[in-house]
Amino acid sequence: QVQLVESGGGSVQAGGSLRLSCAASEYSSRWYYRGWFRQAPGKEREGVASFNSDGRTSYAESVKGRFTISQDNAKNTLYLQMNSLKPEDTAMYYCAAPVAGRTTRYPLNRYEYIYWGQGTQVTVSS
């Protein structure tokens, strides 16, 4: 069973930065995409950023130009660099991975993923 563990969350003031990490207990070379999601209280889980195995990335409009998704060379760890944070970025952040071998045209759709971490809290104060 694949386990994903997020870390790096915390409390920062508006304009600050955080770097989230997601470690996978095992990496599948057939993960053709991976993603970061977030969920604020009372809101649905939304896609934030995705990373394709060919290096392509996708971002939610609300974070474009501020967030950067990447993965390490060993491919076990997925990162989300978050700059210029805003209070509206406050949420629980989750990393996710799909079933091996699956491809999708919608990598920011939560229903394209089956593996989820436990989440890491990000709180941005004004």
Side-chain angles (χ1 to χ4, degrees):
Q1 178 71 14
V2 174
Q3 291 186 327
L4 304 176
V5 180
E6 303 95 336
S7 61
S11 297
V12 296
Q13 290 190 329
S17 299
L18 285 172
R19 189 192 196 200
L20 306 184
S21 299
C22 173
S25 59
E26 56 186 271
Y27 174 77
S28 172
S29 61
R30 297 181 66 231
W31 279 346
Y32 297 129
Y33 58 97
R34 296 169 70 181
W36 283 98
F37 290 74
R38 66 186 181 187
Q39 187 168 17
K43 295 187 176 181
E44 291 190 355
R45 190 169 298 189
E46 63 172 352
V48 175
S50 67
F51 188 96
N52 279 29
S53 58
D54 61 4
R56 287 180 296 162
T57 56
S58 299
Y59 296 94
E61 285 295 326
S62 59
V63 306
K64 279 184 178 179
R66 300 188 298 122
F67 290 12
T68 303
I69 189 172
S70 63
Q71 68 178 16
D72 69 7
N73 291 334
K75 301 184 179 179
N76 277 9
T77 304
L78 188 70
Y79 300 101
L80 185 68
Q81 177 67 43
M82 306 186 295
N83 298 327
S84 302
L85 283 161
K86 303 175 181 181
E88 50 263 44
D89 294 318
T90 295
M92 186 72 80
Y93 282 71
Y94 301 90
C95 68
V99 63
R102 182 178 178 85
T103 60
T104 181
R105 295 174 60 189
Y106 309 103
L108 294 182
N109 185 324
R110 63 183 178 178
Y111 298 109
E112 300 294 335
Y113 296 83
I114 63 166
Y115 299 110
W116 294 88
Q118 82 290 348
T120 185
Q121 178 68 38
V122 172
T123 303
V124 185
S125 58
S126 58

